Amino acid sequence: MADLDGIGLLERTKEKYPDMPVVMVTAVHDISVALAAIRNGAYDYLLKPFEREQLLNTVSRALENRRLKVENRAYQTNLESLVQERTKQWQSAMANLERSYDITLEALGDALDLKDAETEGHSRRVTLFTIAIAQAMGLPKDQIAVIARGAFLHDIGKMAIPDAILRKPDKLDPDEVAIMQEHAYRGYQMLKKIPFLTEASEIVYSHQERFDGTGYPRHLKGTEIPLGARIFSIADTLDAITSDRPYRPAQSLKAARAEIERWSGRQFDPEIVKIFLEMPDRIWEDLRNEIDGQTGRAAYTTGAKG
Ligand SMILES: [Fe+2]
Ligand SMILES: [Fe+2]
């Protein structure tokens, strides 16, 4: 080695061929150099003079060591891609499962729309309206999914209310009102046991509460009412006002806005009302048309007089 010593060669070899095992051959008085070489990545060293057997043994151990290292690395890489692959499979299984859940929920919500005297597509519209407001508020996707399920199933407890009360055309008497009001708690009871709907059940429980504490069943006030329920109540009122009712035709978006603004701080959370009022009419028209298209109803027009 003319212009390169053993350590220099070792460094260069490790650079170019990181997997190549290096065995240093050194004289007895160079033992400290040999140890330095090992610290720098040499596999072993042989002291001069050495036997043929010794050389063969050392080299074969070095090769075996290299084989194990390479094998181990391949195993780790495989393991990583295996884990990645499994994670992907698991995520898509979860997504499928969630989709199945949501399809089941849709059937449940639609069944209620048939039983309830409220307008067709109400659950779907209210859900889309709720999602739109939640998005305008910048809420994270996961939270919006929970809120959407709560909104969609808000009146599911009405399943437990007798048709005679639910569909009664005349004004309900006080006893009937009390039974009707049970629907919030009934809905909560139905859903809270389903792990996937526990959070949504809280929204169902609270969907009739009012910001000033005059709602039911628990007379919750302000932020005691789950955020999702506070968003929902604006969406619900918006849909109620802009839908036909047996006793009056649909009113305009303008009328709905005015009504929601008027009840800001009483029925509704004023912070959410502020965001709602900044949202363009176009959103509500498009969403309503989307649902009316699905349910085969006549498209909503803003021309309706309120
Ligand atoms: Fe309700
Ligand atoms: Fe409703």
Side-chain angles (χ1 to χ4, degrees), residues 116 118 122-123 126 151 154-155 158 183 207-208 232 236 239 245:
D116 196 0
E118 266 184 297
H122 166 68
S123 299
V126 146
H154 68 278
D155 272 342
K158 284 189 181 170
H183 80 276
H207 81 274
Q208 299 281 168
F232 160 82
D236 194 40
D239 188 55
R245 285 292 148 93

Side-chain angles (χ1 to χ4, degrees), residues 184-185 187-188 200-209 216-218:
Y185 182 62
Y188 166 70
S201 74
E202 291 294 335
I203 296 170
V204 173
Y205 198 2
S206 318
H207 81 274
Q208 299 281 168
E209 301 286 359
Y216 65 85
R218 289 176 290 173

Side-chain angles (χ1 to χ4, degrees), residues 97-102 105 146 149 191 193-200:
L97 191 63
E98 269 202 31
R99 241 194 87 56
S100 314
Y101 275 140
D102 283 336
L105 293 193
V146 168
R149 284 173 198 139
L191 304 181
K193 286 164 265 163
I194 307 170
F196 153 79
L197 295 173
T198 317
E199 274 181 274

Side-chain angles (χ1 to χ4, degrees), residues 13 28 37 46 58 65 93 102 111 130-132 136 161 231 255 271 296:
T13 310
V28 178
L46 283 169
T58 308
N65 180 268
D102 283 336
T130 302
I131 292 173
I161 307 300
I231 299 172
E271 295 296 318

